[in-house]
Amino acid sequence: MARVFIYGTLKRGQPNHKVLLDGANGRAAFQGRGRTVEPYPLVIAGEHNIPWLLNLPGQGRCVAGEIYVVDEQMLSFLDEFEGCPDMYQRTPVRVTVLEWEGRQGTPEEMPATDGTLQCFVYSTASYAPEWVRLPHHDNYDSRGEHGLPYNPRENR
């Protein structure tokens, strides 16, 4: 099992969340909500208005998202779904837990005493240089005030 921090179209209420619910892809269980410990640039870019977390720790904003525990099958599915390693790269990130619904079990299952967890996140180090100058967001919503509606895969 692995922890994944979800910040974009896979979050609950967003266009691609359904793939986390599809048991054919593997298992994913919501654990809680969190925010990256370090700031990162979260931008909306490209012709399909895709959210991208640029792998530039220390720049941008602390980004809100959801924490899931996934099995190996779902992790492999997410790698393929996210175009890993070409579009996104699966990298470790430290997340401050804001709300926790996960198991109250072993220390490995719980946030650390400082309220943080290590998770995987799909960020990118391969992006157009001008993306760094796009507006940075701290919380993604495909229908947000940014005015950049996401173009779902099935419409492309």
Side-chain angles (χ1 to χ4, degrees), residues 57-147:
Q59 298 183 35
R61 299 178 177 193
C62 293
V63 175
E66 299 172 349
I67 302 160
Y68 288 81
V69 63
V70 301
D71 65 9
E72 284 299 318
Q73 182 182 347
M74 180 61 79
L75 192 61
S76 294
F77 170 82
L78 289 173
D79 282 351
E80 184 177 323
F81 185 83
E82 298 290 9
C84 185
D86 299 327
M87 284 179 54
Y88 292 92
Q89 297 80 47
R90 179 168 31 108
T91 57
V93 66
R94 200 99 193 126
V95 174
T96 300
V97 176
L98 302 174
E99 289 179 16
W100 186 250
E101 295 180 16
R103 290 179 45 151
Q104 305 294 322
T106 66
E108 297 83 35
E109 296 170 325
M110 299 288 298
T113 54
D114 66 355
T116 66
L117 286 171
Q118 183 87 3
C119 300
F120 286 121
V121 68
Y122 290 92
S123 62
T124 187
S126 47
Y127 50 85
E130 61 270 15
W131 287 11
V132 176
R133 294 186 298 279
L134 292 173
H136 297 172
H137 304 273
D138 60 3
N139 194 1
Y140 176 78
D141 184 336
S142 62
R143 298 170 304 276
E145 293 180 9
H146 49 71

